Amino acid sequence: MTDDTHAKLDNLLRSANIRLGRIQRNRLAWLVDRYGAPTLGGHYEGLRHGGVIVLTEPPSGAAAELFYRSLHSGCAVAIPFGENPGFDFLKSKLTEFGTVSPSAEGPHELWWGGIGWSKLSASADGATIRPRIVSYYPFGSDPDDIRSLRRSLDELELDSHIEPVAAELGEQVLCFEKAEFLARMWQRYSEPLLFVEAGATLCEAPLLPSALGCDVALHKWNRWEMSARTLYLGRTARAGQLLRSWHHLAASYPSIWDGYLLDQPGASPPRKGRSTRCGCRAPTTP
């Protein structure tokens, strides 16, 4: 990003009285570098030709529909007040790329999204860091359950670790057992981790989260429910903090669904565990 573009971004933020934390500002600059110059979203009609549109006021239902129709894959939408439920209708129409949580520097959540993944997927082509794929299967389960996963990992030449675990309930692995497994993997390996369920099959190398510089990436279904069936943990302090908090909660509430408990470290102060939940998809698993 050129000095002129940096200045334009800073001027836009000042003019709209938008206060961002350092990581939020860096993510917005990252978007501008890839999508183009930032503009404030004050109009909702007419085709847009690219760039980052920053929205500060929730649009009405009709305005949200017109705004959605004006976008294409070369546009990114940034909402620096992403926790405001007034934006929910518009966000439901877009693909959520990620969020950057509040901090002492920036008191609001930065949400970013757009139309499809094609623009961001190109970022994965230049990724130099490959995550280690980790998974488990309960003792005594059918080895065929992991055969397809092992085969796909071999074909993609991905480093991996798959092991049997002794689950208290036989073939049902509880949340605290999954979190405990991931905590051990976090201590054992130095590269980013991508956990997938043993029944998954990878169709391509999962490079997008590391290319985006994620702390944590995961799959969301029904647009808001988190799934722990696919979970990326970058080698950052924030990812480690979220993993420790999740592990602690899972041990305290062993019968609660793992996806719900995974959301809790990022939903309560200081919210750092969810600092860059970007690239939240699972394109390489069925």
Side-chain angles (χ1 to χ4, degrees), residues 2-181:
T2 65
D3 291 341
D4 182 63
T5 308
H6 269 290
K8 184 173 183 179
L9 174 58
D10 289 334
N11 289 336
L12 181 147
L13 295 176
R14 280 194 297 268
S15 68
N17 197 28
I18 298 172
R19 181 183 169 190
L20 298 179
R22 177 180 57 83
I23 297 175
Q24 294 175 328
R25 168 62 172 74
N26 290 344
R27 177 56 65 186
L28 194 55
W30 187 93
L31 284 172
V32 170
D33 190 42
R34 283 153 180 79
Y35 282 87
T39 57
L40 282 175
H43 67 279
Y44 298 105
E45 296 186 63
L47 183 65
R48 299 173 187 269
H49 300 290
V52 178
I53 303 100
V54 180
L55 295 181
T56 58
E57 295 293 335
S60 66
E65 181 65 33
L66 290 173
F67 178 73
Y68 172 75
R69 294 181 184 181
S70 75
L71 302 174
H72 60 80
S73 60
C75 301
V77 179
I79 302 176
F81 308 101
E83 74 280 7
N84 186 336
F87 289 104
D88 285 355
F89 177 67
L90 174 62
K91 291 194 293 187
S92 74
K93 302 180 73 64
L94 299 172
T95 299
E96 178 181 349
F97 297 152
T99 61
V100 186
S101 67
S103 66
E105 305 164 286
H108 299 284
E109 180 177 86
L110 174 67
W111 183 97
W112 52 296
I115 304 293
W117 288 92
S118 59
K119 188 85 172 180
L120 288 182
S121 295
S123 300
D125 296 337
T128 58
I129 300 175
R130 289 189 164 204
R132 178 176 291 271
I133 312 302
V134 296
S135 188
Y136 58 71
Y137 58 95
F139 273 116
S141 60
D142 188 344
D144 285 342
D145 291 345
I146 61 169
R147 191 162 294 158
S148 294
L149 175 59
R150 289 191 188 278
R151 185 183 304 116
S152 65
L153 294 173
D154 290 341
E155 291 174 352
L156 295 170
E157 299 180 340
L158 294 170
D159 293 331
S160 63
H161 179 102
I162 305 174
E163 68 174 45
V165 297
E168 286 190 5
L169 299 182
E171 294 192 3
Q172 180 184 351
V173 178
L174 296 174
C175 178
F176 81 90
E177 294 168 330
K178 176 183 289 188
E180 188 174 79
F181 166 78

Side-chain angles (χ1 to χ4, degrees), residues 183-199:
R184 285 193 292 108
M185 296 301 100
W186 180 265
Q187 293 297 323
R188 180 177 300 184
Y189 297 109
S190 60
E191 60 263 63
L193 301 179
L194 176 66
F195 171 81
V196 296
E197 293 285 349

